[in-house]
Amino acid sequence: MTSSGGVELGTAGAAVPARLGERFATTRGWRVATLAAAHAESATARTLELDVPDWPGHLAGQHVDLRLTAADGYTAERAYSLSAPLDPARPGRVAVTVQRVRGGEVSPYLVDTFATGQLVEVRGPVGGWFVWEPGFADAVPVLLVAGGSGIVPLVAMVRARRAAGDRTPFRLLYSVRTPDDALFTDELTGVRGGADGVDTQVFYTRAAPLDAPREARRIGLQDVAAHGWPPELRPVCYVCGPTGFVEAVTRMLLALGHDPATIRAERFGPAGD
Amino acid sequence: MTLTPGFQGRPRPTGVALPPGQYEVADFPVLSAGPTPHVPLESWELVIRNEDGADWRWSWHELQRLPQEDARVDLHCVTRWSKFGTSWRGVSLDVLLADVTSSAQYALVGCYGGYTTNLPVADLLGGKAWIAHTYDGAALAPVHGGPARLLVPHLYLWKSAKWVRSIQLLRDEQRGFWEQLGYHDYGDPWREQRYQGD
């Protein structure tokens, strides 16, 4: 992109190749989906497996919009991250993992009340930036950093890598309050996680289990330096979590020398400061 | 068959104008696609470039010396939260565009950090858009787009580009960051134009 006066103006072509527009297009309208199966991931989080007619497919990291309808016709819409990649054997099946939010309008219903066989409207997939697929960006190393339920789109990326037999180097840093709040840790750590070849580090911020390698504390700069990738490898960094967490971790990545253009973020919740 | 049987939802909102599919929040959520840039005021500038490549530029100091306006507006984010009665101070785009020679119909907004978004020039004019530097009486925080962001509250909030740096006036529409990724070219919350094709 040329510019005069030494000013680099943003260009539509620079950030993302144009073809992504078609690839990531959100299909029109709502589809009526059926809750085919559900299981608890923790005391406060539940995975919903929805059968969606004519589902166009999705990439790990994308989300869906759900629309709920009350008896008086009132509707509420919310976005939830998909927690599993597309399964070619079941192309109409999508999974979202919902964390119950205290005082929330929708998540308590989805976690506690919504029953298998019941219907909900679905739209999507949505979002084409916070995504990964095998072969993405010439298989440069990937750093995943999750805070709390920010693990959901990142576990979809780990699962997409596993399902494809992809060997892109992955490292995952997962910050969570207590073992009771942790999602997917049996799958991501220990023998099962080791079989993936994904180096996963769990950081407990409030209470750590007895066998944890470190006391309860927040992820710090030294942790990101020790368990992330050197910036010279130009890894793609995906950071997902509450706003304060994402701000802190992205500042650490920048301080360690990572190019801001290699850092992708997904934030939820209020600013916190 | 009934959708989501047993779902009740919150008490229905009264007294506020809520666009379809939105819900009201009291806090101020943050959504950005990358790290938050921290832009020093000494090097900050705003550039408006017309379709012939001519530039109009303002330093931070020059921006502050222009006529300032207070705006009390409602915000509508495509992720479905709406925030009512927010207070901003900044410079109207009517002031900034007053002497710019152009017959362009489209604008592509560029930002520190590389973000872009597109909208029609007409939506920048007529008292509907500002370069805002103050929120709720204080300097706009970097996480919300400080030092300055575009504020164009009649469209979904992704059009109100944080860390604004440039506005290119174009004869032909060019899609910005989210618009290339499937979000709507215009983004009117009252017509629920969230995604391309809505």
Side-chain angles (χ1 to χ4, degrees), chain A residues 143-149 151 171-183 185 188-189 199-209 212-228 245 249 252:
Chain A
L143 176 65
L144 309 174
V145 190
S149 59
I151 189 67
R171 289 180 176 174
L172 168 62
L173 279 63
Y174 177 22
S175 170
V176 65
R177 286 181 187 173
T178 72
D180 287 344
D181 298 307
L183 309 178
T185 42
L188 294 169
T189 62
D199 179 7
T200 299
Q201 299 287 326
V202 183
F203 297 81
Y204 295 96
T205 61
R206 300 275 173 84
R214 61 185 75 80
E215 75 284 10
R217 60 176 168 80
R218 293 182 172 198
I219 287 181
L221 186 69
Q222 71 283 3
D223 301 311
V224 179
H227 300 292
F245 176 84
V249 170
M252 291 174 206

Coordinates of all heavy atoms in Angstrom, one line a residue, chain A residues 143-149 151 171-183 185 188-189 199-209 212-228 245 249 252:
Chain A
L143 N 0.1 -20.4 19.8 CA 0.0 -20.2 21.2 C -1.5 -19.9 21.5 O -2.1 -19.0 21.0 CB 0.9 -19.1 21.7 CG 0.7 -18.8 23.2 CD1 1.2 -20.0 24.1 CD2 1.5 -17.5 23.6
L144 N -2.1 -20.7 22.4 CA -3.4 -20.5 22.9 C -3.4 -20.0 24.3 O -2.7 -20.7 25.2 CB -4.2 -21.8 22.8 CG -4.2 -22.5 21.4 CD1 -5.0 -23.8 21.5 CD2 -4.8 -21.6 20.3
V145 N -4.0 -18.9 24.7 CA -4.0 -18.5 26.1 C -5.5 -18.2 26.4 O -6.2 -17.4 25.8 CB -3.2 -17.2 26.3 CG1 -3.1 -16.9 27.8 CG2 -1.8 -17.3 25.7
A146 N -6.0 -19.0 27.4 CA -7.4 -18.9 27.8 C -7.5 -18.5 29.2 O -6.8 -18.9 30.1 CB -8.0 -20.3 27.7
G147 N -8.5 -17.6 29.5 CA -8.9 -17.3 30.8 C -10.4 -17.7 31.0 O -11.3 -17.3 30.3
G148 N -10.6 -18.6 32.1 CA -11.9 -19.0 32.4 C -12.6 -19.7 31.2 O -12.0 -20.6 30.5
S149 N -13.9 -19.3 30.9 CA -14.6 -20.0 29.8 C -14.1 -19.6 28.5 O -14.6 -20.1 27.5 CB -16.1 -19.7 29.9 OG -16.4 -18.4 29.9
I151 N -11.6 -20.7 27.3 CA -11.1 -22.0 26.9 C -11.9 -22.6 25.7 O -11.4 -23.4 24.9 CB -10.9 -23.0 28.0 CG1 -10.1 -24.3 27.6 CG2 -12.3 -23.4 28.5 CD1 -8.7 -24.0 27.3
R171 N 0.9 -24.7 21.8 CA 1.1 -24.6 23.3 C -0.2 -23.9 23.8 O -0.7 -23.0 23.2 CB 2.3 -23.8 23.6 CG 3.6 -24.6 23.3 CD 4.8 -23.9 23.7 NE 6.0 -24.7 23.5 CZ 7.3 -24.3 23.6 NH1 7.5 -23.1 23.9 NH2 8.3 -25.1 23.4
L172 N -0.6 -24.4 25.0 CA -1.8 -23.9 25.6 C -1.6 -23.5 27.0 O -1.1 -24.2 27.8 CB -2.9 -24.9 25.5 CG -4.2 -24.7 26.4 CD1 -4.9 -23.4 25.9 CD2 -5.2 -25.9 26.3
L173 N -1.9 -22.2 27.4 CA -1.9 -21.7 28.7 C -3.3 -21.4 29.1 O -4.0 -20.7 28.4 CB -1.0 -20.4 28.8 CG 0.5 -20.5 28.9 CD1 1.0 -21.2 27.6 CD2 1.1 -19.2 29.1
Y174 N -3.7 -22.1 30.2 CA -5.1 -22.0 30.6 C -5.2 -21.5 32.1 O -4.7 -22.2 33.0 CB -5.8 -23.4 30.5 CG -7.2 -23.5 30.9 CD1 -8.1 -22.4 31.0 CD2 -7.7 -24.8 31.2 CE1 -9.4 -22.6 31.4 CE2 -9.1 -24.9 31.6 CZ -9.9 -23.8 31.7 OH -11.2 -24.0 32.0
S175 N -5.8 -20.3 32.3 CA -5.9 -19.7 33.6 C -7.4 -19.9 34.1 O -8.3 -19.5 33.4 CB -5.6 -18.2 33.5 OG -5.9 -17.6 34.7
V176 N -7.5 -20.5 35.3 CA -8.9 -20.7 35.8 C -8.8 -20.6 37.3 O -7.8 -20.9 37.9 CB -9.3 -22.1 35.3 CG1 -8.5 -23.2 35.8 CG2 -10.8 -22.3 35.5
R177 N -9.9 -20.3 37.9 CA -9.9 -20.0 39.3 C -9.6 -21.2 40.2 O -8.6 -21.2 41.0 CB -11.3 -19.5 39.8 CG -11.5 -18.1 39.3 CD -12.9 -17.6 39.8 NE -13.2 -16.3 39.2 CZ -14.4 -15.7 39.3 NH1 -15.3 -16.2 40.0 NH2 -14.6 -14.5 38.8
T178 N -10.3 -22.3 40.0 CA -10.1 -23.4 40.9 C -10.3 -24.7 40.0 O -10.9 -24.6 38.9 CB -11.2 -23.5 42.0 OG1 -12.5 -23.8 41.5 CG2 -11.3 -22.2 42.8
P179 N -9.9 -25.8 40.5 CA -10.1 -27.1 39.8 C -11.6 -27.3 39.5 O -12.0 -27.9 38.4 CB -9.6 -28.2 40.7 CG -8.5 -27.5 41.5 CD -9.1 -26.1 41.7
D180 N -12.5 -26.9 40.3 CA -13.9 -27.1 40.1 C -14.4 -26.2 38.9 O -15.5 -26.5 38.3 CB -14.8 -26.7 41.3 CG -14.6 -27.7 42.4 OD1 -14.2 -28.9 42.1 OD2 -15.0 -27.4 43.6
D181 N -13.7 -25.1 38.6 CA -14.2 -24.3 37.5 C -13.6 -24.7 36.2 O -14.0 -24.2 35.1 CB -13.7 -22.8 37.8 CG -14.3 -22.3 39.0 OD1 -15.6 -22.3 39.1 OD2 -13.6 -21.8 39.9
A182 N -12.5 -25.6 36.2 CA -11.8 -25.9 35.0 C -12.6 -26.8 34.1 O -13.4 -27.7 34.5 CB -10.5 -26.7 35.4
L183 N -12.5 -26.5 32.8 CA -13.2 -27.2 31.8 C -12.2 -28.0 30.9 O -11.1 -27.4 30.6 CB -14.0 -26.3 30.8 CG -14.9 -25.3 31.5 CD1 -15.6 -24.4 30.5 CD2 -16.0 -26.0 32.3
T185 N -10.0 -30.2 31.4 CA -8.6 -30.4 31.8 C -8.2 -31.9 31.7 O -7.1 -32.2 31.4 CB -8.3 -29.9 33.2 OG1 -9.4 -30.2 34.0 CG2 -8.1 -28.4 33.1
L188 N -7.2 -32.3 28.2 CA -6.1 -31.5 27.7 C -4.8 -31.8 28.4 O -3.7 -31.5 27.9 CB -6.4 -30.0 27.9 CG -7.5 -29.4 27.1 CD1 -7.9 -28.0 27.5 CD2 -7.1 -29.4 25.6
T189 N -4.8 -32.4 29.6 CA -3.6 -32.6 30.4 C -3.4 -34.1 30.6 O -4.3 -34.9 30.2 CB -3.6 -31.9 31.7 OG1 -4.7 -32.4 32.5 CG2 -3.8 -30.4 31.5
D199 N 1.5 -29.0 24.4 CA 2.0 -28.7 25.7 C 1.0 -27.7 26.4 O 0.9 -26.6 26.1 CB 3.4 -28.0 25.5 CG 4.0 -27.6 26.9 OD1 3.4 -28.0 27.9 OD2 5.0 -26.9 26.9
T200 N 0.3 -28.3 27.4 CA -0.7 -27.5 28.1 C -0.3 -27.2 29.6 O 0.1 -28.1 30.3 CB -2.0 -28.4 28.2 OG1 -2.4 -28.6 26.8 CG2 -3.1 -27.6 28.9
Q201 N -0.4 -26.0 30.0 CA -0.1 -25.6 31.3 C -1.4 -24.9 31.9 O -2.0 -24.0 31.3 CB 1.0 -24.5 31.3 CG 2.3 -25.0 30.8 CD 3.0 -25.9 31.7 OE1 3.0 -25.8 32.9 NE2 3.7 -26.9 31.1
V202 N -1.8 -25.4 33.1 CA -3.0 -24.9 33.7 C -2.5 -24.0 34.9 O -1.7 -24.5 35.7 CB -3.9 -26.0 34.2 CG1 -5.2 -25.4 34.8 CG2 -4.3 -26.9 33.0
F203 N -3.0 -22.8 35.0 CA -2.7 -21.9 36.1 C -4.0 -21.7 36.9 O -5.0 -21.2 36.4 CB -2.2 -20.6 35.5 CG -1.0 -20.7 34.7 CD1 -1.0 -21.1 33.4 CD2 0.3 -20.4 35.3 CE1 0.2 -21.2 32.7 CE2 1.4 -20.5 34.6 CZ 1.4 -20.9 33.3
Y204 N -3.9 -22.1 38.2 CA -5.1 -21.8 39.0 C -4.9 -20.5 39.8 O -3.8 -20.3 40.4 CB -5.2 -23.0 40.0 CG -5.6 -24.3 39.3 CD1 -4.6 -25.2 39.0 CD2 -6.9 -24.6 38.9 CE1 -4.9 -26.4 38.3 CE2 -7.2 -25.8 38.3 CZ -6.2 -26.7 38.0 OH -6.5 -27.8 37.3
T205 N -5.9 -19.7 39.7 CA -5.7 -18.3 40.3 C -6.2 -18.2 41.7 O -5.8 -17.3 42.5 CB -6.4 -17.2 39.4 OG1 -7.8 -17.5 39.4 CG2 -5.8 -17.2 38.0
R206 N -7.1 -19.1 42.2 CA -7.6 -19.0 43.5 C -7.2 -20.2 44.4 O -6.8 -20.0 45.5 CB -9.2 -18.9 43.5 CG -9.7 -17.7 42.8 CD -9.8 -16.5 43.6 NE -10.2 -15.3 42.8 CZ -11.4 -15.0 42.5 NH1 -12.4 -15.7 43.0 NH2 -11.7 -13.9 41.8
A207 N -7.4 -21.4 43.9 CA -7.0 -22.6 44.6 C -6.5 -23.6 43.7 O -7.2 -24.0 42.7 CB -8.3 -23.1 45.4
A208 N -5.3 -24.1 44.0 CA -4.7 -25.1 43.1 C -4.8 -26.5 43.7 O -4.9 -26.6 44.9 CB -3.2 -24.8 42.9
P209 N -4.9 -27.5 42.9 CA -4.9 -28.9 43.5 C -3.6 -29.2 44.1 O -2.6 -28.6 43.8 CB -5.2 -29.8 42.3 CG -4.8 -29.0 41.1 CD -5.0 -27.5 41.4
A212 N -0.6 -29.8 41.9 CA -0.3 -28.8 40.9 C 1.2 -28.4 41.0 O 1.8 -28.4 42.1 CB -1.2 -27.6 41.1
P213 N 1.8 -28.1 39.8 CA 3.2 -27.7 39.8 C 3.5 -26.3 40.4 O 4.7 -26.0 40.6 CB 3.6 -27.8 38.4 CG 2.4 -27.6 37.6 CD 1.3 -28.2 38.5
R214 N 2.5 -25.6 40.7 CA 2.7 -24.2 41.2 C 1.6 -23.8 42.1 O 0.5 -24.4 42.0 CB 2.9 -23.2 40.0 CG 1.7 -23.1 39.1 CD 2.0 -22.2 37.9 NE 2.9 -22.8 37.0 CZ 2.4 -23.7 36.0 NH1 1.2 -24.1 36.0 NH2 3.3 -24.2 35.2
E215 N 1.8 -22.8 42.9 CA 0.8 -22.4 43.8 C -0.2 -21.6 43.0 O 0.0 -21.2 41.9 CB 1.4 -21.5 44.9 CG 1.8 -20.1 44.5 CD 3.2 -20.0 43.7 OE1 3.7 -21.1 43.3 OE2 3.6 -18.9 43.5
A216 N -1.4 -21.3 43.7 CA -2.4 -20.5 43.0 C -1.9 -19.1 42.8 O -1.6 -18.4 43.7 CB -3.7 -20.5 43.9
R217 N -1.9 -18.6 41.6 CA -1.6 -17.3 41.2 C -2.0 -17.0 39.7 O -2.2 -18.0 39.0 CB -0.1 -17.0 41.4 CG 0.8 -17.8 40.6 CD 2.3 -17.4 40.8 NE 3.2 -18.4 40.2 CZ 3.5 -18.5 39.0 NH1 2.9 -17.7 38.1 NH2 4.3 -19.4 38.5
R218 N -2.0 -15.7 39.4 CA -2.3 -15.4 38.0 C -1.1 -15.6 37.1 O 0.0 -15.7 37.5 CB -2.7 -13.9 37.9 CG -3.9 -13.6 38.7 CD -4.3 -12.1 38.5 NE -5.6 -11.9 39.0 CZ -6.3 -10.8 38.8 NH1 -5.8 -9.9 37.9 NH2 -7.5 -10.6 39.3
I219 N -1.4 -15.8 35.8 CA -0.4 -15.9 34.8 C 0.4 -14.6 34.8 O -0.1 -13.5 34.8 CB -1.0 -16.1 33.4 CG1 -1.5 -17.6 33.3 CG2 0.1 -15.9 32.3 CD1 -2.1 -17.9 31.9
G220 N 1.8 -14.8 34.8 CA 2.6 -13.6 34.8 C 3.5 -13.6 33.6 O 3.5 -14.6 32.8
L221 N 4.3 -12.5 33.4 CA 5.1 -12.4 32.2 C 6.1 -13.6 32.1 O 6.3 -14.1 31.0 CB 5.9 -11.1 32.4 CG 6.8 -10.7 31.2 CD1 5.9 -10.3 30.0 CD2 7.7 -9.5 31.5
Q222 N 6.6 -14.0 33.3 CA 7.6 -15.1 33.2 C 6.9 -16.4 32.8 O 7.6 -17.3 32.2 CB 8.3 -15.3 34.6 CG 7.4 -15.9 35.7 CD 6.4 -14.9 36.3 OE1 6.3 -13.7 35.9 NE2 5.7 -15.3 37.3
D223 N 5.7 -16.6 33.1 CA 4.9 -17.8 32.6 C 4.8 -17.8 31.1 O 4.9 -18.8 30.5 CB 3.6 -17.9 33.3 CG 3.7 -17.9 34.8 OD1 4.5 -18.7 35.3 OD2 3.0 -17.2 35.5
V224 N 4.4 -16.7 30.6 CA 4.2 -16.6 29.1 C 5.5 -16.7 28.4 O 5.6 -17.4 27.4 CB 3.5 -15.2 28.8 CG1 3.4 -15.1 27.3 CG2 2.2 -15.1 29.5
A225 N 6.6 -16.2 29.1 CA 7.9 -16.4 28.5 C 8.4 -17.8 28.5 O 8.9 -18.4 27.5 CB 8.9 -15.5 29.2
A226 N 8.1 -18.5 29.6 CA 8.6 -19.9 29.8 C 7.8 -20.9 29.0 O 8.3 -21.9 28.5 CB 8.5 -20.2 31.3
H227 N 6.4 -20.7 28.9 CA 5.6 -21.7 28.3 C 5.0 -21.3 27.0 O 4.3 -22.1 26.3 CB 4.4 -22.0 29.3 CG 4.9 -22.5 30.6 ND1 5.6 -23.8 30.7 CD2 5.0 -22.0 31.8 CE1 5.9 -24.0 32.0 NE2 5.6 -22.9 32.7
G228 N 5.3 -20.1 26.5 CA 4.8 -19.7 25.2 C 5.9 -20.0 24.2 O 6.8 -20.8 24.4
F245 N -8.3 -9.9 31.6 CA -7.3 -11.0 31.3 C -6.7 -10.8 30.0 O -5.5 -10.9 29.8 CB -8.1 -12.4 31.4 CG -7.2 -13.5 31.1 CD1 -6.4 -14.1 32.0 CD2 -7.2 -14.1 29.8 CE1 -5.6 -15.2 31.7 CE2 -6.4 -15.1 29.4 CZ -5.6 -15.7 30.4
V249 N -2.7 -10.2 29.2 CA -1.9 -11.2 28.5 C -1.4 -10.6 27.2 O -0.2 -10.8 26.8 CB -2.7 -12.5 28.2 CG1 -2.0 -13.4 27.2 CG2 -3.0 -13.2 29.5
M252 N 1.5 -8.6 27.9 CA 2.7 -9.4 28.2 C 3.3 -9.9 26.8 O 4.6 -9.8 26.6 CB 2.4 -10.6 29.0 CG 2.0 -10.3 30.4 SD 1.4 -11.9 31.2 CE 0.4 -11.2 32.5

